[in-house]
Amino acid sequence: MISLKKKILFIVTKSEPGGAQKFVYEQILISKNNFDCFLCTDTEGWLFQAASAHLAGSVLNERIKEVSFSFFFTLCKFIRKYDIDLVVCNSAYAGIYGRLAAVLTGRKSIFVSHGWSSVYQGRGLSGIFNLIENGLSTIGSAILCISNNDYHTALKKIGISKNRLHVIQNKTFSQLSVLKPEFSPDKPLKILTVARLDYPKRVDLALAAFGNYSDVHVYIVGGGSQETALKDQVKNDEILNFTFLGSIENFSSFQDYDLFLLLSDSEGLPMSAIEAMSCGLPLLLSDVGGCEELIANNGVLVKNNIEAIREGLSYCLDNREQFSTASLNLFNERFNLSLHREEYINYYNSVMKKN
């Protein structure tokens, strides 16, 4: 039977667990009843395995992570073969390939910002990367900013035209499966970090601030290039209150912890922090990127120095019950994907209808 639905291709460079991958997976879940969904990524990793049952088709190619003309033409061929209507691009390489392939095949495209790596991770080459991003914005149909901070960065630092930009703050499904147990003052505070252990994340700062800190135990969920060095530091410094749990697919046990910690040199609007909010956890976040949009009397923003981080923890402890209630309320008001899914569906339809 020929489907009469519009067709959306979601493209992301890597299939491993991460914020952009979580975003793509949940977009497929909320879109599958309205559109035929397709996926382009590197391998049969976490994202592909999680999403495969909901896909009308896919293309897997590890050359998406490098400059490859053969992959580019493979992507164009796939778009034509399945008559894709909209290409939704996530991450740097995917953003380049997806927008160029869309314009070459005469399709609409959306680039999802996820924190503007051209600004925050370009380092000495940021100016060049921003010029490239500005040029790509002129050939793509639209840019979806996942935070108000990303929107203002696009306008002021990259110089992207306002009429190309749209903001929908990151949203996710609730992770609350059971009621969160009350905090016990007789047990160490259980602090949770869920993050890929790569730049720009700063688990090293957490170690410096809370290593062997009294009445605190920090649990780290995630893997990455820094994992071995961080574990070696814990072993060499005889730090007893840090536990590395490794990469856990579909981690959802936020309610088993007392506070969520995310220290980083740059962020878009971190999905893991939003998931923690859905379980009523107070937030202790670096004051970078869009993190301030997640704080409304439910946690603390801190500078990336040991004194500020420790003071932030103390303030969270003094207000933990109030912060816990506020986190859950704020999540349902602004970040619950189950309640706000139509924002994305309507946006995709509006872009496909553009002349």
Side-chain angles (χ1 to χ4, degrees), residues 48-67:
F48 176 79
Q49 293 178 29
S52 59
H54 311 291
L55 299 174
S58 61
V59 54
L60 304 177
N61 194 317
E62 291 199 62
R63 290 185 175 179
I64 192 177
K65 297 181 287 190
E66 59 192 50
V67 177

Side-chain angles (χ1 to χ4, degrees), residues 267-281:
E267 287 292 337
L269 200 67
M271 295 289 278
S272 57
I274 299 174
E275 290 175 314
M277 289 170 59
S278 77
C279 294
L281 269 63

